[in-house]
Amino acid sequence: MPLIIKDEYPKKLFREDGKRLDGRDKHELRPIKMEVGVIKNADGSAYLEWGNNKIFAAVYGPRDVHPHHLAKSDRGILRIFYRMATYSVFERKRPAPGRREKEISMVISDCLEPVLFLELYPGTSFEVFIEVIDADGGTRCAGTTVAALALADAGIPMRSLVTSVALGKIDGEIVVDLSGIEDKAGQADLPCAITWFNDQLSLLQFDGDMTLEEMNKCLDLAPDILKRIYEMQLNALKEKYLKIREEVNKSEEIATEGGEQ
Ligand code: ADP
């Protein structure tokens, strides 16, 4: 991919061979890798590589609410802290959380809250820290996806997982999973998320220019794309339990061998 300097974006976002600049087809996702249980001190955690995005999520809770005045006597609260590291983007980003980070934290919180049983945890909080250490477009979607995984890893009762992806328009074509350059130089960006227990969209944002027909095309494409990412989330969770089972089997074997001698 060509090196992008400051605001010099490529004029065309498709190559001569019809592929996108990073070699993908229109409806192809970037490579995705997920792992759970990556932060020992957290109640639950997950790590996600999604194209060039690298994101950690750590979950703590249910625990006391600080500051106390935020506590609700009839339910627990969900607090999301989405942060983009200052070294995560080409230009130095101000370290203090800005308006964008606060907005994304709120959006992610709205996406995840419907799947939690907060009414069962009065006076407590669930805190989810989403740390973007490398950012290349679609971090709110990737952040939502990895945060849902970390909540599941924490063993917190959930109605279902939540999965998120952005669709959009570049050079007049509808594409899936916009990269950073596509996000900036493209015509439209449509991040969406789904809660699987009721198949409802819990996020739908829009930025850019698109006809109603094009938006409907995006929404038609979304379920299949989201399903593919959902399978990866499930596999990441299964992977952890398969590893634990393997370790238990091994230690049982060792114990049996020891007993036989
Ligand atoms: P998202 O990451 O969800 O697509 P945006 O559309 O706001 O959110 O940002 C698109 C991309 O622009 C980010 O993924 C990141 O690569 C880059 N970006 C965002 N904020 C900054 C910033 N303050 N400085 C430099 N790059 C940024």
Side-chain angles (χ1 to χ4, degrees):
M1 197 188 293
L3 180 65
I4 305 299
I5 300 169
K6 289 196 175 163
D7 288 335
E8 291 170 20
Y9 301 125
K11 298 226 165 14
K12 288 186 177 172
L13 293 169
F14 282 100
R15 307 188 313 205
E16 291 291 313
D17 62 2
K19 305 256 188 203
R20 292 152 74 176
L21 294 183
D22 54 13
R24 281 185 292 155
D25 289 325
K26 281 188 276 187
H27 301 163
E28 194 177 337
L29 286 163
R30 289 174 283 182
I32 296 179
K33 269 199 310 197
M34 300 179 193
E35 195 182 340
V36 296
V38 291
I39 298 173
K40 277 216 163 56
N41 287 332
D43 293 317
S45 59
Y47 173 65
L48 171 66
E49 283 184 15
W50 185 325
N52 297 326
N53 291 315
K54 293 190 177 70
I55 308 180
F56 282 99
V59 171
Y60 298 82
R63 67 178 179 181
D64 287 346
V65 184
H66 294 289
H68 278 305
H69 69 85
L70 293 178
K72 293 199 171 147
S73 57
D74 59 340
R75 63 203 300 269
I77 59 166
L78 173 65
R79 303 183 74 199
I80 305 283
F81 302 90
Y82 163 100
R83 297 286 181 268
M84 223 169 65
T86 186
Y87 52 82
S88 67
V89 283
F90 188 72
E91 285 174 338
R92 179 184 179 274
K93 181 204 147 276
R94 285 164 66 95
R99 193 194 54 78
R100 175 180 170 274
E101 282 158 310
K102 287 179 191 154
E103 179 221 313
I104 294 182
S105 300
M106 193 195 76
V107 162
I108 296 179
S109 175
D110 288 349
C111 275
L112 296 173
E113 217 180 288
V115 301
L116 297 177
F117 297 87
L118 291 176
E119 63 280 9
L120 300 181
Y121 302 91
T124 69
S125 74
F126 293 95
E127 294 185 318
V128 184
F129 298 87
I130 301 168
E131 304 287 339
V132 180
I133 54 172
D134 219 341
D136 188 25
T139 60
R140 75 195 61 211
C141 299
T144 305
T145 303
V146 70
L149 205 49
L151 282 164
D153 180 51
I156 295 164
M158 293 165 79
R159 294 183 172 89
S160 73
L161 284 171
V162 181
T163 310
S164 180
V165 74
L167 294 101
K169 186 164 113 175
I170 58 169
D171 293 0
E173 302 278 351
I174 297 302
V175 296
V176 156
D177 184 19
L178 283 84
S179 66
I181 299 172
E182 291 174 338
D183 183 302
K184 290 186 182 77
Q187 291 140 312
D189 179 25
L190 189 81
C192 62
I194 192 164
T195 49
W196 293 105
F197 74 96
N198 57 2
D199 282 345
Q200 296 284 313
L201 288 181
S202 62
L203 166 71
L204 189 61
Q205 288 192 298
F206 179 68
D207 184 18
D209 276 321
M210 212 182 242
T211 64
L212 196 55
E213 206 177 46
E214 285 167 337
M215 185 176 274
N216 282 333
K217 190 172 173 190
C218 286
L219 294 177
D220 286 345
L221 278 170
D224 175 52
I225 305 296
L226 287 162
K227 196 99 202 197
R228 279 192 243 160
I229 304 163
Y230 178 54
E231 295 294 332
M232 295 181 214
Q233 286 172 294
L234 292 179
N235 283 336
L237 285 167
K238 273 185 212 154
E239 198 67 32
K240 174 176 169 178
Y241 291 101
L242 287 175
K243 256 189 218 157
I244 292 173
R245 195 161 71 187
E246 228 170 72
E247 275 163 27
V248 170
N249 287 346
K250 247 186 225 159
S251 54
E252 278 175 0
E253 266 170 37
I254 292 167
T256 321
E257 279 166 18
E260 281 168 0
Q261 278 167 13

